[in-house]
Amino acid sequence: MFEMLDRDAFGRLGVIKTSHGDISTPTVLPVVNPFRETIAPSEIIEATGASALITNAFILYSKPEVRKRVLEVGVHEFLGVDCPIATDSGGYQIYRGQKVDVSPQAIHEFQARIGSDLAVVLDVPPRDDMSEGQTSTCIQESIRRSKELCSSKPAGPLWYGVVHLTPHTRLRREEAMQISGMPFDIFALGSCVGSLIEYRFESHLDRAVDTARRLPPDRPRHVFGVGHPMFLALSVAFGGDLFDSAMYALSAQEGRYLTANGTLRVKDLAEFPCSCPICSQATPEQMLAGDGGIRLLARHNLYTTFEELRRVRQAIRDNRLWELVQARCRSHPKLLGAFCNTLRRHRAFLEQVDPVAKKSAFFYSGPESMLRPEVTRARRQARRLPSALTFKHPLYGRVPYAASLCYPFGQTELPTQLEHLVERKEVQLTDVEIVKGAVDFQFGPGCGAALEPFRAVRSSKTGRIRKVTREGILLGTMRAKDFFFLPTMEGASILRSNLPYPAMRVVVSDDAAPFVSEGKSAFAKFVQDCDPSILPGQEVLIVDRTDRLLATGTSMMNSREMRSFKFGMAAKVRHHLDGDRP
């Protein structure tokens, strides 16, 4: 149902499969109110390429004539689109203090009967201003309704369970524990709107990450109410897959012009800082001209939202999501404060989900760069080599000379004033010492020495260390972009003998072992066990249940994800038994 395709930070590219097509994540589901249409649903799809929409089942249900019509033709024909459609159940109306005169069972069955692709439990969202007792009452009722739904889920939709981002930590965590144990297809983070409207980004992100880390990683996470392009990169980097918002329309009605760097007032603009199809042809005066102007502005708001989404997705592919987030945080001091606070409070967890190896260099973008997982993890790993000869670095502290070519040490771009603070002397190290230091940094102390006696061979073209051999046999190569050791089967066999089980291992089932030994990737559903400390992007040893080495490769998931996912690649094979026999 959900497959993760790529990742960076706590963000990920994925796909959700529905009966009306795939939803590529991360994405925003534009909110459609069929009784207050600013832009027709079909026009939204055509203009933005949105892969799904969301509407409100309670609003459809609450008007008898509309209810009858939607039950006759289905929600897709009613809205005039053939894409996946999610339906909310009325929880937002409860959150706003409105009366929802329908039973949970009735609205759940209604969502299934009208053909919703994704449907939400009718929860009772608490507000931030509620007491702990009031919040507890809301959460207990939401849990009761969730259990009731899961005991007899209407067939058809993918069902949402909701965890509420209340400020009462104990209640929030208890709800996350209970809801995460239920067989929902998607998990939503609710009760977000108040904190977002009031720019309380710091508390919102802290609660969101604290909650998201407690949910099963093999299912999508939907953050209700997030839709401003300024906040999308941050929301994705800290765990969101799906978002929804009516902001494109609500902002247009108030003359607010959305950008990835904040909100502007159309009345204050002499010209548009945007080249979308609307802004390339319209003028600010036209956008202020009644209903037609509102429609133009709403279209611009959609264009800029989906432009930012495409930018976010490409940043994930390029492993530059943190840099994009840092740029967006310069839009508002509250965003920067939220970013720094979340990195500090969730440092250990973020180190577990952020890839170890990246496709691009580490760009220093400001003092907050020191809080990023690449930096905190590298500092911790360097401390595992206490006897190494080191130099002082303004970001990484004491860096071992022998590991200084490894990512991120050797791939960091600093401003000139910080480059002058790198206290590095000329130290003569042999090529063997450099390789040993890199392998120890990557796999742990003693692993480099385990490869001895070996020879480090430099490339005739670049002059850099490229191969590691022993008696003419290739033990591995040093990857140019990050100076990580990529072991062959021979090198991996030595490492396996030196590393106690289950260190660096991914253990696959008997059914999968023959295919992995022939070079097929190790898929998550066949992983039986793994080193609990495995991180995404690490070089791993893929073995069978007897610890027989089958292949080497790169982990695509961390250990918790490998145990959770039933779809997707756990480790991509590089060398394998049948292809690398001596």
Side-chain angles (χ1 to χ4, degrees):
M1 189 279 299
F2 176 67
E3 181 178 356
M4 179 170 58
L5 304 176
D6 208 342
R7 67 190 306 150
D8 196 31
F10 189 20
R12 50 193 186 177
L13 297 181
V15 60
I16 303 169
K17 299 196 175 291
T18 80
S19 57
H20 281 86
D22 294 349
I23 302 174
S24 297
T25 64
T27 194
V28 170
L29 280 58
V31 174
V32 173
N33 183 338
F35 309 117
R36 296 181 62 186
E37 277 188 6
T38 305
I39 305 176
S42 59
E43 189 178 349
I44 293 174
I45 298 296
E46 181 182 352
T48 65
S51 54
L53 302 174
I54 186 169
T55 192
N56 193 300
F58 170 70
I59 292 176
L60 301 177
Y61 183 93
S62 62
K63 298 179 183 293
E65 68 281 5
V66 174
R67 183 196 319 166
K68 180 180 178 181
R69 176 63 178 161
V70 179
L71 284 169
E72 288 174 351
V73 303
V75 68
H76 294 83
E77 184 173 332
F78 181 78
L79 293 180
V81 294
D82 194 37
C83 67
I85 294 177
T87 51
D88 197 1
S89 55
Y92 181 68
Q93 280 67 35
I94 294 175
Y95 179 78
R96 295 294 298 271
Q98 300 174 26
K99 185 177 181 180
V100 174
D101 192 16
V102 61
S103 70
Q105 183 179 7
I107 199 66
H108 296 158
E109 290 176 352
F110 178 71
Q111 291 181 85
R113 289 177 63 191
I114 65 176
S116 301
D117 298 287
L118 307 97
V120 183
V121 64
L122 180 55
D123 58 327
V124 183
R127 300 186 309 276
D128 277 11
D129 60 357
M130 286 182 170
S131 68
E132 186 170 359
Q134 292 171 317
T135 299
S136 178
T137 299
C138 292
I139 286 177
Q140 291 307 314
E141 177 61 16
S142 295
I143 291 172
R144 186 191 68 78
R145 293 181 178 190
S146 295
K147 288 179 178 178
E148 185 179 81
L149 171 61
C150 289
S151 69
S152 57
K153 280 194 292 187
L158 301 175
W159 285 98
Y160 277 73
V162 183
V163 180
H164 303 95
L165 301 188
T166 170
H168 302 289
T169 303
R170 179 184 59 83
L171 296 176
R172 184 180 69 246
R173 291 177 176 176
E174 286 179 0
E175 185 183 32
M177 180 181 68
Q178 293 208 45
I179 297 296
S180 66
M182 299 181 196
F184 285 109
D185 304 294
I186 301 171
F187 291 101
L189 307 184
S191 298
C192 306
V193 174
S195 58
L196 295 174
I197 289 176
E198 296 171 8
Y199 274 40
R200 289 185 281 115
F201 300 126
E202 188 168 308
S203 60
H204 167 79
L205 282 178
D206 182 35
R207 298 175 202 171
V209 175
D210 183 71
T211 303
R213 62 185 292 184
R214 299 170 195 281
L215 300 175
D218 62 328
R219 274 158 279 180
R221 298 178 289 262
H222 187 143
V223 187
F224 282 151
V226 169
H228 198 302
M230 175 180 72
F231 196 52
L232 284 175
L234 205 60
S235 297
V236 172
F238 287 122
D241 298 306
L242 295 167
F243 311 94
D244 70 279
S245 180
M247 182 169 283
Y248 72 95
L250 298 177
S251 295
Q253 292 163 13
E254 298 175 357
R256 290 185 285 141
Y257 182 97
L258 303 184
T259 80
N261 293 309
T263 304
L264 306 175
R265 293 279 183 180
V266 175
K267 66 180 182 180
D268 298 330
L269 298 176
E271 57 184 338
F272 293 128
C274 171
S275 56
C276 76
I278 300 301
C279 296
S280 297
Q281 299 179 21
T283 64
E285 290 75 18
Q286 289 173 313
M287 268 192 193
L288 293 171
D291 290 344
I294 291 174
R295 178 181 162 84
L296 290 174
L297 182 49
R299 283 179 63 96
H300 156 77
N301 289 342
L302 279 171
Y303 277 124
T304 197
T305 298
F306 280 85
E307 178 186 22
E308 180 69 358
L309 272 172
R310 290 188 288 274
R311 191 177 289 117
V312 168
R313 289 194 288 259
Q314 189 59 46
I316 293 175
R317 296 183 187 99
D318 296 339
N319 291 145
R320 289 200 175 279
L321 185 53
W322 287 129
E323 276 97 357
L324 178 60
V325 169
Q326 288 185 258
R328 292 292 173 261
C329 285
R330 293 297 187 275
S331 303
H332 198 285
K334 297 290 188 183
L335 287 177
L336 183 58
F339 178 63
C340 294
N341 178 71
T342 309
L343 288 177
R344 287 191 189 97
R345 288 182 61 85
H346 301 281
R347 175 189 58 78
F349 171 75
L350 293 170
E351 287 182 15
Q352 295 169 19
V353 295
D354 190 51
V356 169
K358 303 216 172 183
K359 301 168 189 172
S360 54
F362 181 99
F363 278 25
Y364 178 91
S365 305
E368 71 276 8
S369 294
M370 297 185 68
L371 301 173
R372 283 171 47 180
E374 304 100 310
V375 175
T376 59
R377 183 171 51 212
R379 293 172 71 106
R380 177 173 51 79
Q381 284 183 252
R383 288 196 293 269
R384 297 190 305 180
L385 312 175
S387 61
L389 187 63
T390 64
F391 64 91
K392 189 176 180 180
H393 192 283
L395 246 66
Y396 303 111
R398 306 305 306 185
V399 175
Y401 277 97
S404 62
L405 296 178
C406 295
Y407 183 86
F409 304 134
Q411 295 75 26
T412 295
E413 295 291 337
L414 296 173
T416 303
Q417 59 267 37
L418 288 184
E419 285 181 341
H420 294 324
L421 300 179
V422 179
E423 299 176 5
R424 182 165 185 166
K425 302 176 182 178
E426 288 296 324
V427 174
Q428 296 299 319
L429 295 176
T430 67
D431 289 353
V432 167
E433 289 173 322
I434 293 172
V435 169
K436 285 170 60 179
V439 173
D440 283 354
F441 175 74
Q442 187 179 347
F443 293 98
C447 288
L451 298 176
E452 291 186 298
F454 65 83
R455 178 169 171 253
V457 181
R458 289 183 176 266
S459 166
S460 58
K461 292 183 179 180
T462 65
R464 298 174 180 173
I465 300 173
R466 178 61 177 159
K467 298 179 180 179
V468 179
T469 65
R470 180 196 282 182
E471 298 179 353
I473 296 174
L474 184 65
L475 300 184
T477 57
M478 306 304 296
R479 186 163 55 195
K481 69 175 183 178
D482 52 22
F483 205 65
F484 279 1
F485 179 64
L486 310 180
T488 60
M489 290 298 288
E490 288 76 10
S493 180
I494 295 171
L495 290 174
R496 182 181 64 87
S497 299
N498 189 68
L499 292 167
Y501 183 90
M504 303 308 296
R505 268 80 150 186
V506 175
V507 184
V508 297
S509 67
D510 293 342
D511 291 338
F515 298 98
V516 173
S517 68
E518 293 172 357
K520 303 294 191 299
S521 294
F523 287 88
K525 67 178 179 179
F526 297 114
V527 173
Q528 301 235 308
D529 194 12
C530 59
D531 179 351
S533 64
I534 282 178
L535 305 177
Q538 281 186 324
E539 293 304 303
V540 293
L541 314 178
I542 307 172
V543 301
D544 65 14
R545 292 192 302 160
T546 67
D547 202 27
R548 182 173 68 109
L549 184 65
L550 303 173
T552 71
T554 304
S555 59
M556 299 289 105
M557 302 175 177
N558 66 26
S559 58
R560 182 173 178 236
E561 293 163 344
M562 288 183 186
R563 293 185 173 97
S564 297
F565 271 89
K566 298 298 181 285
F567 300 94
M569 191 187 303
K572 185 175 182 180
V573 167
R574 178 175 289 105
H575 298 286
H576 54 96
L577 185 63
D578 290 352
D580 287 36
R581 292 189 185 278

